[in-house]
Amino acid sequence: MTKSLPVPEGDSLHRAARRLQVLVGDRVAAESPNARGRATGVAEQIDGRRLEAVEAVGKNLILRFEGGVTVRSHLRMSGSWRVRAAGDPVPGRPWLVLRGERAQALLYGGRVLELNARAVRGLGPDILAPEPDLERLLRNFRRGDQARQVGDALTDQRLVAGIGNVWKAESLWHARVSPWRRVGDVTDGEIRALLETAARLMGRSVETGREEVNIAHRAGMPCPRCGTLIRSRGQGDDNRAAYWCPTCQPGPEPPVHPAPS
Ligand SMILES: [Zn+2]
């Protein structure tokens, strides 16, 4: 059985971007208590600069400072941004500490922290943009490999940025589309429905701070809609678990994968 680790998805990055807004407009004092964070050179470049904007782009958090300095943070498996009142003690050794007038932001477990937004280029449209461009997203899906499984395509950040394993499973279940169908066999209407559903579910998660999960990580439990047991199988190059209800989401049997290493 495939074991899945939680990975920050677009909605958690958007929540972090919201929390960090309290620092926007402040001239920040920056330091890196963590040696690996210090090695990125980010803190010394931004120390004393005014923070102009913070935004989530896909699974990246982009911080723009005066003077055209841009910092990209990608949280990977275990990173997190926390916001504390100015002057509160700083626990542990964060990768980056940004001290503003009223608050300080702490980045733990950065993994990817760098001084430009290069990696953001090449990303598809953000699923959590205020008005996601569904037609452009649909064209991206149609331009790509039509033989690819739709569940795999949904988490390809070049097609659509921000969807990870949990919201992939939930969107497919809500839209009643099997993750194992080929993109070419999924209608335009179904792809639109999948993307609209992902945007709606993730948007609600940003608003409420809660993830309403029906199917992800629930293999062997009854489908909340029909009672059929939920199935799970590794999918895509990284063999991360796909979840589906074989009754609500009919489709081809998944190919037999080698066991995850
Ligand atoms: Zn079902």
Side-chain angles (χ1 to χ4, degrees):
M1 192 183 140
T2 306
K3 193 142 171 78
S4 290
L5 294 165
V7 177
E9 298 196 32
D11 54 324
S12 57
L13 269 294
H14 277 256
R15 287 200 295 268
R18 273 197 186 182
R19 289 196 297 274
L20 284 163
Q21 296 305 315
V22 64
L23 284 153
V24 171
D26 286 3
R27 201 169 285 287
V28 300
E31 64 167 322
S32 287
N34 180 293
R36 286 204 286 162
R38 200 152 54 238
T40 65
V42 166
E44 57 187 288
Q45 285 296 323
I46 58 178
D47 185 42
R49 290 185 194 268
R50 194 178 302 282
L51 177 61
E52 292 181 336
V54 179
E55 58 179 331
V57 180
K59 298 181 184 180
N60 298 276
L61 200 67
I62 305 296
L63 296 92
R64 299 186 199 283
F65 293 86
E66 64 179 340
V69 175
T70 299
V71 170
R72 174 175 84 103
S73 140
H74 186 302
L75 300 177
R76 290 282 165 87
M77 296 289 181
S78 57
S80 67
W81 277 97
R82 299 177 202 168
V83 174
R84 296 276 152 82
D88 275 7
V90 173
R93 290 187 177 277
W95 277 52
L96 190 61
V97 179
L98 300 176
R99 292 196 173 85
E101 287 162 19
R102 291 153 292 157
Q104 53 185 340
L106 315 172
L107 169 64
Y108 289 92
R111 302 288 176 244
V112 178
L113 176 65
E114 63 176 25
L115 265 174
N116 62 60
R118 198 173 40 220
V120 172
R121 289 202 288 269
L123 285 183
D126 193 324
I127 192 67
L128 282 169
E131 293 187 25
D133 187 345
L134 287 179
E135 294 313 306
R136 194 178 143 208
L137 286 165
L138 178 60
R139 282 199 301 277
N140 283 355
F141 276 81
R142 287 298 177 225
R143 260 201 297 268
D145 178 3
Q146 298 301 293
R148 190 175 185 186
Q149 295 151 0
V150 65
D152 186 33
L154 269 183
T155 56
D156 184 337
Q157 304 298 303
R158 293 165 301 182
L159 301 183
V160 51
I163 302 178
N165 216 39
V166 169
W167 297 120
K168 158 189 151 176
E170 297 298 312
S171 306
L172 286 161
W173 180 78
H174 276 276
R176 299 177 186 246
V177 174
S178 163
W180 306 104
R181 286 170 59 191
R182 292 167 188 272
V183 172
D185 297 334
V186 179
T187 67
D188 287 1
E190 286 173 321
I191 291 178
R192 282 196 200 93
L194 281 170
L195 295 166
E196 276 170 347
T197 304
R200 178 168 51 82
L201 297 174
M202 293 173 70
R204 194 156 65 201
S205 164
V206 173
E207 292 300 325
T208 64
R210 289 182 52 241
E211 296 183 352
E212 291 168 36
V213 170
N214 286 289
I215 189 162
H217 304 292
R218 303 215 167 150
M221 293 166 69
C223 166
R225 201 158 41 204
C226 75
T228 307
L229 298 187
I230 295 165
R231 292 181 64 189
S232 172
R233 183 74 65 83
Q235 184 170 44
D237 288 341
D238 51 3
N239 202 24
R240 301 198 60 229
Y243 300 88
W244 79 105
C245 166
T247 302
C248 297
Q249 299 162 269
E253 270 298 298
V256 178
H257 255 287
S261 50

